């Protein structure tokens, strides 16, 4: 008797499985996109006698894009940077300055990234970095400067944030270049 009931249940399950059709709507879902800084294709003029070290970062952003509204910071789960801010910014400076790998440079440019975020209240990309130029031979600080940039966003998208942050990095690189040009 038990075998007949199981056989009947099994047959019913097989027949109904072929008859049931679920129409699940197509959903594009959320795809994680990666962004990077957009930089000039080549350096204006090469910076001589300076090597750019790997910048440090106090930003909690890491790879995720970080936004701030008031005192609340939030991460975008579907928009990420292709590299951490410290790697992207130091690489950007090397590219902007036309520096490949200058192991014999007399001076080192160091940077500590304090802010690397989208400000939702002001609709800006905010970048704040403390720069130091150090004489390589004795680690004497030649100059230290803190720069802050707030570049307006052209939209409310991660791509607009990446574009504005790129402009902020280029703006600060040009400002620091003026100091580097005065070095002997």
């Amino acid at each position: 008797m038990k075998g007949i009931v199981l056989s009947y249940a099994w047959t019913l399950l097989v027949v109904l499985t072929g008859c049931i059709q679920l129409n699940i709507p197509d959903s594009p879902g959320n795809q994680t996109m990666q962004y990077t800084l957009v930089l000039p294709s080549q350096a204006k003029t090469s910076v001589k006698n300076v090597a750019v070290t790997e910048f440090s970062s106090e930003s909690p952003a890491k790879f995720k894009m970080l936004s701030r509204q008031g005192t609340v910071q939030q991460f975008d789960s579907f928009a990420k940077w292709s590299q951490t801010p410290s790697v992207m910014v130091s690489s950007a400076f090397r590219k902007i300055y036309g520096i490949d790998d200058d192991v014999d440079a007399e001076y080192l440019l160091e940077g500590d990234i304090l802010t690397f975020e989208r400000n939702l209240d002001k609709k800006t990309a905010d970048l704040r970095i403390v720069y130091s130029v150090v004489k390589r031979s004795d680690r004497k600080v030649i100059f230290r400067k803190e720069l802050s940039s707030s570049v307006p966003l052209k939209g409310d998208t991660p791509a607009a944030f990446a574009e504005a942050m790129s402009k902020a990095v280029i703006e600060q690189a040009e400002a620091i270049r003026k100091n580097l040009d005065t070095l002997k």
Side-chain angles (χ1 to χ4, degrees), residues 9-20:
W10 180 253
T11 304
L12 186 62
L13 180 65
V14 170
V15 169
L16 289 177
T17 303
C19 297
I20 297 174

Side-chain angles (χ1 to χ4, degrees), residues 18-19 29-30 52 75 87 99 103 110 116 128 134 144 151 166:
C19 297
N30 286 328
V52 178
F75 297 101
V87 171
I99 299 171
V103 292
E110 301 172 346
F116 192 92
R128 187 165 60 109
V134 178
R144 184 174 307 246
V151 176
S166 300

Side-chain angles (χ1 to χ4, degrees), residues 62 69 141:
K62 305 297 180 228
Q69 189 159 26
V141 176

Side-chain angles (χ1 to χ4, degrees), residues 40-47 93-99 177:
S41 57
Q42 55 187 351
K44 289 182 182 177
T45 57
S46 185
V47 173
F93 271 68
R94 287 185 200 103
K95 183 175 181 181
I96 292 168
Y97 292 163
I99 299 171
R177 178 193 299 270

